[in-house]
Amino acid sequence: MTRSLSAVARALERIARLDPALNAFTEVWPDEALARERVALELPLRGLPFAVKGPSGIRSYAARRLIAAGGVPVGATSVPGPGTYWQTWGQGAHGRTVNPWRADRTPGGSSAGSAVAVAAGMVELATGSDGAGSVRIPAAWCGVFGLRTTNGLLPSPDRSGLASAGVLARSAAAAERYVRHVLPGYEEPAAPSLPLAAVYSEDLGFADVDPEVAAVVRGAVDRLVAAGTVRLLDAACVLLDPAGAWQAVRGGSPGDPGAVAVRRANDERLDQLFAAAPLLLTPVTPNRPHGHEGPGDVYSTALTWAFNLSGHPAASLPAGFTGDGCPVGLHLVAARGADVSLLGMARAVENSLPTVRP
């Protein structure tokens, strides 16, 4: 009788077979992973294979917490490499990282390889970080779940404080293992009361959204309403465009008067919104995955980076596909510190929103 492969051995086999075409990994650690697994099987995560974002990912707080709980890191995933100033891209060990749904498109970034590794089933989850949308955008474009945590909840990999740690996983349910073992003071949440009161905004008041992307997301929201999972409030979310403010903070000028005014106005509007509803729904990106030649003039971050400035936790959940086979993400945003509740709401949404694969 043939002995079945362990979870880590299966992950390593899939990486060896699939990654030469996808380039999700920059490094793979087979010997170390198999050695770790023997000890990890006695711990809560029981040798769960996971990947870490970038060359420094193994030293991150999240990776250390997962390892302590019995997770097994199998390799480091790609991030944007030299030769491009835009971040929706990845450079693997043998070339550019490709979108598993369409090889002529990018996977998003900067957690590019983490999203691809999860989407292709090479690992069950991967760490990421999100300073402008770097978890949510690749999650949306690769058709997986992605969560960025509340600013300051976990150690930030970015001096500006805009970036927060996050996770990419096949589903919101799968991401719960990360949240349970990484977030401090985790307590099992009660099931959310349905329908969830929510505000839907196609463009946050300023973004120019691809009509087909908007239609896919609106169709998903309508299905949630019909299923009794979501109840839309007759309210709008109109924010000031955060582009200039984000760039000022990222550039080391958080006290810039224009940036301060935009952040204050948007914070006040978001505080009012979350006082009335626990959930904000939008598209994740205004555009579909672009080609490897670059994004052009469209900011893929247009609908995500406002929440890096405001600090709110946010998630991307698969909403469907455009007619040309590109995944589209539904953006879920919750009140600051409501990370566990957000995950519970995402699970409820996920259960009512089966994704039809093309």
Side-chain angles (χ1 to χ4, degrees):
M1 184 174 68
T2 303
R3 184 179 178 183
S4 62
L5 293 175
S6 69
V8 169
R10 289 196 302 272
L12 293 169
E13 184 277 328
R14 287 185 66 84
I15 293 169
R17 178 161 47 88
L18 300 175
D19 200 51
L22 295 172
N23 279 309
F25 284 85
T26 57
E27 301 177 25
V28 182
W29 311 312
D31 294 339
E32 296 94 325
L34 291 168
R36 282 184 189 272
E37 185 180 32
R38 289 192 289 271
V39 177
L41 291 173
E42 304 299 321
L43 297 169
L45 287 176
R46 298 185 180 278
L48 174 76
F50 72 96
V52 299
K53 176 184 177 178
S56 62
I58 192 65
R59 299 191 297 273
S60 69
Y61 175 84
R64 297 198 307 270
R65 294 284 293 176
L66 291 171
I67 292 168
V72 176
V74 296
T77 58
S78 66
V79 293
T84 176
Y85 66 92
W86 37 277
Q87 299 296 301
T88 51
W89 194 74
Q91 179 71 34
H94 304 291
R96 67 189 184 192
T97 309
V98 303
N99 191 303
W101 293 98
R102 285 193 51 165
D104 64 329
R105 304 295 176 94
T106 74
S110 61
S111 305
S114 287
V116 173
V118 170
M122 291 187 272
V123 290
E124 298 194 37
L125 61 82
T127 66
S129 58
D130 187 316
S134 292
V135 164
R136 291 163 288 163
I137 293 169
W141 287 358
C142 292
V144 299
F145 177 79
L147 170 71
R148 67 152 260 130
T149 54
T150 297
N151 287 18
L153 183 63
L154 298 172
S156 175
D158 175 42
R159 288 184 178 181
S160 72
L162 292 170
S164 65
V167 60
L168 296 108
R170 292 286 287 179
S171 64
E176 190 171 10
R177 288 170 290 189
Y178 172 99
V179 171
R180 181 182 294 117
H181 294 288
V182 173
L183 263 60
Y186 174 84
E187 294 183 4
E188 198 72 31
S193 178
L194 303 181
L196 299 165
V199 173
Y200 173 68
S201 176
E202 177 181 303
D203 58 10
L204 293 178
F206 59 82
D208 183 12
V209 180
D210 177 330
E212 191 173 358
V213 168
V216 170
V217 174
R218 182 69 214 207
V221 172
D222 289 344
R223 294 198 300 277
L224 292 171
V225 171
T229 304
V230 163
R231 174 175 60 87
L232 291 182
L233 301 185
D234 185 16
C237 181
V238 178
L239 303 181
L240 301 179
D241 188 341
W246 186 94
Q247 290 162 355
V249 174
R250 187 69 179 86
S253 300
D256 174 82
V260 170
V262 167
R263 296 182 77 178
R264 182 179 295 120
N266 284 351
D267 283 352
E268 291 173 354
R269 296 175 193 189
L270 290 168
D271 287 346
Q272 291 175 4
L273 185 152
F274 289 116
L279 193 59
L280 169 64
L281 302 173
T282 79
V284 174
T285 65
N287 53 338
R288 63 193 81 193
H290 55 73
H292 295 279
E293 70 282 357
D297 296 329
V298 176
Y299 279 112
S300 303
T301 55
L303 298 168
T304 53
W305 54 6
F307 306 105
N308 295 87
L309 282 169
S310 66
H312 292 81
S316 173
L317 196 147
F321 292 80
T322 56
D324 57 355
C326 294
V328 175
L330 171 64
H331 199 197
L332 287 71
V333 187
R336 297 180 193 89
D339 302 64
V340 175
S341 296
L342 174 59
L343 186 61
M345 291 187 284
R347 290 191 65 171
V349 168
E350 184 175 76
N351 290 338
S352 299
L353 197 63
T355 303
V356 179
R357 306 290 182 180

